[in-house]
Amino acid sequence: MSETPRSRETVGDTSAGLPQRRTGHAFAHTPRRSDGRPPQTPRGPRQPDPGGRPGTIPPVPGRPATSPRLAAALCGLLFALVTWQVLVSGPLLAPDHAISRALVRTIPDSVTERLSDLGNVPVAVPVLALAMAYAALRGRRLAALAAGAAMLAVPALVVPLKEWTARPGPLEPWAAGYYPSGHTATAAVAYVGAALLVRPYVRRPWPVAVALVLTGATATGLVLRGWHWPLDVLASLLMCAPLLIGVDRVSRRSTRRSSG
């Protein structure tokens, strides 16, 4: 059977049956917005923070972040509750005594005393002083002053509370003045305050983590050694939380101003 021209066209040229793209007004037209701008405006690059990291992504709408004022108020309320229980010998003191009896001197004193020494003024305060000096040299004097004010507030709060509550110690029931723990308060404000000051200049959040570990080690050593009740160190942490929240807010504002 002979091959006709029509059959050769059908078999050999398969592209003849495909639809061809037609150029015309429909393909040449580019949709535009009514205000004359392009249909989608490209986003500009995010500004980096002082540490050189890319800017953070804005929070998701509908999920507001926890208010620092609310957190500070909650800590203050819990601190007032614990203080009231200590003053009236309330029901919270029973588990407090039980936990202390179960933990005191379960670890050698040589270890717990070293941990407790982390809250000594000659050990903790120089760390904060160095961080304050560094922040001031970098132009964040307001943040450094806020951290220093928080440290000055520690004895101004702790000393009157010790005299007012006159709580005896776990191993010295004849003594008084154990509530709240001054060593825990000193460690918290010094170490965490220093971490908040140097945080904008490092690429990882390790300063705050190290500060929390040092503060927790101080509180743990005080309880295990029998120098403080668990509620003593808990109250100090609750008391210092609003101070550190204030330092954090001032530090963030100072960072934005110095970077701007």
Side-chain angles (χ1 to χ4, degrees), residues 156-173:
L157 294 172
V158 170
V159 173
L161 285 169
K162 285 180 176 291
E163 296 179 356
W164 182 33
T165 57
R167 191 184 192 192
L171 300 180
E172 297 179 350

Side-chain angles (χ1 to χ4, degrees), residues 27-49:
F27 289 94
H29 174 69
T30 302
R32 302 187 63 85
R33 295 168 51 143
S34 59
D35 54 3
R37 292 185 296 171
Q40 183 177 2
T41 303
R43 296 177 59 185
R46 290 180 291 175
Q47 297 296 328
D49 60 8

Side-chain angles (χ1 to χ4, degrees), residues 133-233:
Y134 181 75
L137 290 175
R138 297 295 296 267
R140 300 172 60 240
R141 297 180 180 86
L142 187 59
L145 290 176
M151 178 54 67
L152 292 177
V154 170
L157 294 172
V158 170
V159 173
L161 285 169
K162 285 180 176 291
E163 296 179 356
W164 182 33
T165 57
R167 191 184 192 192
L171 300 180
E172 297 179 350
W174 59 87
Y178 283 81
Y179 178 91
S181 169
H183 280 68
T184 304
T186 301
V189 174
Y191 296 134
V192 179
L196 294 176
L197 291 178
V198 302
R199 181 180 57 183
Y201 308 110
V202 296
R203 297 183 177 182
R204 298 183 183 275
W206 61 264
V208 176
V210 172
L212 293 177
V213 170
L214 293 175
T215 303
T218 304
T220 302
L222 292 169
V223 173
L224 294 178
R225 181 58 179 82
W227 282 336
H228 276 288
W229 303 98
L231 281 182
D232 297 345
V233 299

Side-chain angles (χ1 to χ4, degrees), residues 96-111:
D96 186 40
H97 292 173
I99 294 174
S100 179
R101 287 192 298 267
L103 295 179
V104 168
R105 289 188 167 172
T106 55
I107 294 179
D109 293 349
S110 59
V111 176

Side-chain angles (χ1 to χ4, degrees), residues 50-96:
R53 299 184 301 270
T56 57
I57 300 176
V60 179
R63 294 184 180 181
T66 303
S67 172
R69 294 182 180 178
L70 179 61
L74 180 60
C75 291
L77 181 62
L78 293 175
F79 173 74
L81 174 63
V82 175
T83 304
W84 169 62
Q85 288 290 292
V86 170
L87 288 172
V88 301
S89 299
L92 283 181
L93 268 61
D96 186 40

